């Protein structure tokens, strides 16, 4: 695929890409650690695991957590996350971007490290269910950067890798895209720093939602 590729399907990550939730997730991880008197990860350490499957995220962010304590840790994480739930919002410009892409006949999907329950709550709260033709969550298949979510979405949508671009804010998203044989587009306003995104295979890197919107409009087309 060349730099001039056009795509009929855009698959988005959720947290840190469409929803401005990075700070809330970091705070919830740190709060749960404090509640259980575990070493508290730094902001960067907690942000790095966003997008991973639950098991992989816990191993990386809370290595001292015993298996027997996972349930109570998750309860405390959800408690802290829900404290900020009412403040969660889409990044400015996201809703308009999705509307525009839908109107142009571009097929949209989501591949996220969130659970199905978590994604459904987010879709309900943002009224975005109808914007996406398909969604896949980490508790339904292999987590990022395994390519399963993208393979399953492509099978469901009946498209080939050359028709797809994956948009995400973490190296996990870009590595998943590369593993699935699709182009990855990184955004720098989420969880991972730009240098980490650029270290991964990528088609391009953009720094804000307006730039993302323009990039996608210029390179997408209606699915036949």
């Amino acid at each position: 695929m060349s730099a001039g590729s056009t795509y009929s399907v855009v698959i988005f990550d959720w947290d840190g890409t469409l929803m401005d939730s990075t700070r809330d997730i970091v705070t919830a991880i740190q709060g749960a650690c404090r509640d259980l008197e575990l070493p508290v990860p730094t902001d960067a350490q907690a942000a790095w695991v966003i997008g991973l499957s639950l098991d992989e995220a816990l191993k990386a962010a809370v290595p001292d957590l015993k298996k027997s304590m996972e349930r109570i840790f998750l309860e405390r994480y959800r408690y802290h996350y829900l404290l900020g739930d009412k403040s969660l919002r889409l990044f400015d410009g996201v809703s308009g971007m999705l509307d525009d892409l839908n109107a142009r006949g571009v097929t949209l999907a989501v591949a996220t490290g969130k659970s199905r329950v978590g994604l459904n709550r987010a879709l309900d709260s943002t009224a975005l269910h109808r914007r996406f033709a398909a969604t896949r969550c980490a508790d339904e298949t292999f987590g990022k950067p395994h390519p399963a979510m993208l393979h399953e979405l492509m099978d469901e949508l009946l498209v080939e890798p050359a028709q797809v671009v994956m948009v995400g804010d973490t190296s996990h998203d870009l590595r998943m895209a590369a593993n699935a044989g699709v182009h990855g587009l990184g955004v720098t306003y989420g969880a991972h720093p730009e240098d980490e995104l650029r270290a991964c295979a990528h088609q391009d890197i953009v720094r804000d939602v307006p730039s993302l919107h323009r990039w996608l409009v210029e390179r997408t087309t209606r699915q036949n």
Side-chain angles (χ1 to χ4, degrees):
M1 288 182 288
S2 70
S5 294
T6 58
Y7 313 98
S8 59
V9 176
V10 181
I11 302 178
F12 292 97
D13 168 57
W14 187 267
D15 290 308
T17 300
L18 298 180
M19 178 161 276
D20 189 5
S21 48
T22 300
R23 180 69 254 169
D24 298 86
I25 294 172
V26 167
T27 299
I29 292 171
Q30 293 171 331
C33 288
R34 293 188 185 95
D35 291 348
L36 299 184
E37 298 183 344
L38 293 165
V40 178
T42 65
D43 288 359
Q45 289 169 334
W48 189 85
V49 306
I50 294 174
L52 291 175
S53 65
L54 176 61
D55 288 346
E56 293 302 315
L58 291 179
K59 285 178 187 176
V62 199
D64 293 338
L65 180 66
K66 296 179 180 178
K67 193 73 176 177
S68 61
M69 295 296 291
E70 282 187 6
R71 182 184 62 80
I72 186 64
F73 182 90
L74 291 176
E75 288 177 358
R76 299 312 300 166
Y77 168 83
R78 293 187 186 103
Y79 168 79
H80 288 286
Y81 185 77
L82 291 173
L83 283 178
D85 194 51
K86 292 182 179 179
S87 68
L88 292 178
R89 61 182 182 83
L90 298 172
F91 286 105
D92 290 343
V94 161
S95 184
M97 174 183 69
L98 298 178
D99 286 345
D100 189 16
L101 293 171
N102 274 162
R104 292 169 181 271
V106 180
T107 300
L108 307 181
V110 171
T112 177
K114 298 179 84 65
S115 68
R116 172 53 61 185
V117 170
L119 179 61
N120 284 347
R121 286 185 67 256
L123 289 170
D124 287 342
S125 69
T126 56
L128 289 182
H129 269 290
R130 295 184 180 181
R131 299 293 186 274
F132 301 105
T135 60
R136 198 64 89 249
C137 299
D139 62 348
E140 298 170 327
T141 185
F142 294 97
K144 301 172 186 179
H146 194 284
M149 280 196 275
L150 295 185
H151 285 161
E152 292 173 13
L153 287 169
M154 287 189 284
D155 287 345
E156 181 175 346
L157 297 171
L158 302 176
V159 293
E160 299 297 323
Q163 297 171 261
V164 178
V165 62
M166 171 70 204
V167 182
D169 67 308
T170 72
S171 59
H172 316 310
D173 298 309
L174 297 183
R175 288 167 58 209
M176 176 177 66
N179 290 339
V182 308
H183 277 169
L185 174 61
V187 300
T188 65
Y189 53 79
H192 284 193
E194 183 173 348
D195 59 348
E196 187 160 352
L197 298 177
R198 290 194 178 279
C200 301
H202 61 276
Q203 182 69 353
D204 209 345
I205 305 290
V206 297
R207 292 183 171 83
D208 52 41
V209 174
S211 298
L212 172 61
H213 189 170
R214 288 192 297 272
W215 195 99
L216 292 174
V217 165
E218 291 170 0
R219 295 168 178 84
T220 51
T221 185
R222 181 183 298 271
Q223 184 175 340
N224 295 326

